[in-house]
Amino acid sequence: MKDNVVIIGGGIAGMEAAKQLLSLGVKPILVEKAPRLGGHVASWHRLFPDMTLASDIIKRLEKDIAGANIFLETSVENISRKGRSYNLVLSNGITVNAAAVLFATGFSLFDAAKKEEYGYGVYDRVITNADLEAWMNGKKDSRIPASPATVGFVHCVGSRDIKAGNTQCSKVCCTTAIKQAIEIKERFPAAEVYCFYMDLRLFGKKYEDFYIEAQKDFGVHFVRGRVSEVGERIDGSLQVKAEDTLSGRPLRVGVDLLVLMSGMCCNPKAGALASSVKLELDSDGFLRSRDNVYEINRSNLPGVFYAGACTGTKTVPETAAEARAAALEIYNYLKA
Amino acid sequence: MTDFGFSLSKSSVVDIDRTDTALYRRLCELDRTAASCMSCGSCSATCTASSYSGMSLRKVLHGLQRGEDVRPMLRCCMLCGKCTMVCPRGINTRHVLLTIAKIYD
């Protein structure tokens, strides 16, 4: 087939779609703005529920898509529709005429500094889930004490929060918090770990088992209540305030390290690019699928397809499955 | 002392740093299933004693973690075992209650 297929975004959605297209005999053009492939997953350490190494998945995908045309450090500047095809102007000066375009533009991680009451960027011992993953991947972080006696995890940071601009549940953070709480307990067995949650949304395979494991085998404490504010004490430790909603009393606890579970938000750059070619945005700011039940992969335009977190918060296996489905849709579209 | 007509209310704050959870930790050592309570409330809903005495195993386990004296509630338990039947986490509730009573002794 001579028709060009452009995949925007080289995270796991874009990579998996490229892999499937290659196996179907279509050589896609993959455009990634960063200097490396793998997106958010590439900067994660281990993935729930089986503690799979994220780097293993990315390495395998990189090998699988070696045959694709990959542009790194390149972004799509402009898209315009020309009849049944699309003209894409890339930042490297190349213009591509594509029969099909796949948005695999993913999500943006919520900027935890926006929740000022949690003190990210203000207090020394407040980090995010992404910071903790980077540290577990070997990056030095002076905010993480050598042996913390107590560690807190704040669920739903920037998620389920109208004032933060995100009504959606970020879906993966509950399980990520449990995973990271276990990882902290493995590294610092003497530490007391507190997870502050509103409700635990453990919908996926073995997620609930993970929760039981955290309680029974690691003694992680779960406090039902959203953290209202964090303050810094003279010794640099933090005071966390929440309501212990199970007893209806205000609760406070001192922690040596506080991890904020920043949620997945819509990617505003992807939204702007999509809007320029009259692709619709959904009420939550993510790209709008033609149908949220049965046509997640399709857009309101012929030849433009979606995969992964560009249409909403997704787990890794959900993203991979959508990418495979999108590849098949594109293949069938080109054939028709 | 002169009575000015003012009084101080007792703080209702749960201060984890000053909470003695030795009893709860001991309980979890003796019966690990106690740690897997997810506060669903099934035990309390089905409890034969709860409607008249306020007995609630959920509150007992939660109270222990907050350093409260749970003995008054414990005394209301009739050991009927209905809570064992409904607990979705398979907590051996009767054993948990008896263990708590033993720890207090």
Side-chain angles (χ1 to χ4, degrees):
Chain A
M1 269 180 269
K2 278 171 278 168
D3 300 317
N4 279 323
V5 174
V6 176
I7 300 173
I8 310 174
I12 50 160
M15 292 175 92
E16 181 65 34
K19 172 188 158 188
Q20 296 300 328
L21 282 167
L22 283 166
S23 73
L24 292 164
V26 180
K27 189 174 174 176
I29 297 165
L30 183 66
V31 184
E32 166 57 46
K33 66 177 187 307
R36 55 133 179 86
L37 293 170
H40 292 278
V41 174
S43 46
W44 233 242
H45 180 50
R46 286 182 186 277
L47 307 174
F48 56 74
D50 291 334
M51 297 295 196
T52 315
L53 271 174
S55 56
D56 282 356
I57 292 176
I58 302 302
K59 268 183 224 150
R60 225 182 306 152
L61 280 170
E62 271 174 332
K63 229 202 255 159
D64 291 336
I65 62 167
N69 284 317
I70 301 169
F71 292 124
L72 294 176
E73 286 183 273
T74 308
S75 51
V76 177
E77 304 272 284
N78 186 49
I79 306 179
S80 52
R81 193 176 170 188
K82 276 198 164 174
R84 277 184 67 81
S85 66
Y86 295 88
N87 242 348
L88 288 92
V89 181
L90 309 184
S91 61
N92 58 8
I94 295 172
T95 301
V96 186
N97 189 256
V101 179
L102 176 66
F103 275 75
T105 44
F107 65 92
S108 295
L109 203 62
F110 179 75
D111 174 13
K114 283 186 188 165
K115 292 293 290 179
E116 288 183 336
E117 59 268 45
Y118 297 157
Y120 183 70
V122 180
Y123 306 136
D124 293 335
R125 305 268 186 89
V126 182
I127 62 169
T128 64
N129 42 3
D131 295 331
L132 188 65
E133 293 290 334
W135 176 74
M136 288 190 286
N137 266 337
K139 193 182 164 201
K140 288 216 159 51
D141 195 327
S142 59
R143 294 168 296 184
I144 300 173
S147 56
T150 43
V151 180
F153 285 87
V154 184
H155 290 224
C156 300
V157 175
S159 310
R160 306 171 72 193
D161 187 333
I162 288 179
K163 285 197 286 181
N166 301 303
T167 48
Q168 79 275 3
C169 163
S170 175
K171 219 160 120 176
V172 298
C173 328
C174 279
T175 327
T176 302
I178 288 171
K179 179 194 79 99
Q180 293 185 340
I182 289 175
E183 286 170 312
I184 284 284
K185 285 293 271 187
E186 282 171 342
R187 282 167 172 81
F188 311 110
E192 296 291 347
V193 176
Y194 298 90
C195 286
F196 294 89
Y197 69 98
M198 289 193 282
D199 42 18
L200 290 167
R201 301 188 161 184
L202 305 166
F203 56 96
K205 183 179 163 69
K206 283 168 55 177
Y207 298 179
E208 192 74 19
D209 302 65
F210 219 21
Y211 172 30
I212 299 173
E213 193 185 327
Q215 288 181 305
K216 265 170 96 172
D217 303 340
F218 293 94
V220 174
H221 307 287
F222 290 87
V223 181
R224 184 166 161 267
R226 191 177 178 107
V227 172
S228 65
E229 59 174 287
V230 179
E232 197 174 41
R233 290 169 173 171
I234 274 176
D235 64 357
S237 68
L238 305 156
Q239 177 172 273
V240 178
K241 279 186 180 176
E243 192 200 356
D244 180 27
T245 60
L246 291 173
S247 64
R249 290 160 62 194
L251 175 145
R252 60 174 175 232
V253 61
V255 297
D256 295 328
L257 177 68
L258 191 67
V259 187
L260 306 180
M261 305 309 295
S262 279
M264 288 182 177
C265 310
C266 60
N267 178 349
K269 278 185 187 151
L273 185 66
S275 303
S276 72
V277 70
K278 295 207 170 83
L279 286 164
E280 292 164 4
L281 299 185
D282 216 333
S283 56
D284 56 5
F286 287 85
L287 305 183
R288 200 172 78 82
S289 298
R290 199 187 295 176
D291 181 272
N292 277 327
V293 177
Y294 222 71
E295 291 182 298
I296 296 281
N297 286 127
R298 294 191 184 169
S299 72
N300 55 299
L301 294 178
V304 178
F305 299 86
Y306 298 144
C310 62
T311 55
T313 58
K314 306 268 158 72
T315 62
V316 171
E318 283 167 346
T319 299
E322 269 187 21
R324 287 173 208 129
L328 195 59
E329 294 247 17
I330 291 171
Y331 175 77
N332 288 331
Y333 174 80
L334 295 178
K335 229 173 42 173
Chain B
M1 214 170 95
T2 320
D3 181 5
F4 291 103
F6 301 110
S7 64
L8 285 174
S9 308
K10 198 175 159 274
S11 169
S12 67
V13 171
V14 180
D15 189 344
I16 296 287
D17 301 345
R18 294 196 183 119
T19 300
D20 182 9
T21 56
L23 288 176
Y24 178 73
R25 277 184 274 123
R26 182 84 187 111
L27 167 67
C28 291
E29 280 168 25
L30 296 171
D31 190 332
R32 202 60 204 160
T33 66
S36 60
C37 172
M38 57 172 170
S39 299
C40 70
S42 303
C43 53
S44 321
T46 199
C47 178
T48 16
S50 77
S51 336
Y52 299 100
S53 67
M55 167 63 192
S56 157
L57 179 58
R58 176 186 77 73
K59 284 187 191 165
V60 166
L61 286 174
H62 192 263
L64 275 181
Q65 291 175 71
R66 300 290 177 255
E68 291 160 17
D69 183 3
V70 298
R71 275 173 295 188
M73 226 188 282
L74 218 55
R75 277 185 213 111
C76 304
C77 174
M78 301 186 286
L79 293 174
C80 72
K82 278 178 79 184
C83 48
T84 309
M85 203 171 69
V86 295
C87 177
R89 280 285 169 90
I91 298 171
N92 192 346
T93 55
R94 211 154 34 165
H95 184 253
V96 165
L97 284 159
L98 289 169
T99 308
I100 299 169
K102 227 181 267 175
I103 296 170
Y104 270 113
D105 284 346

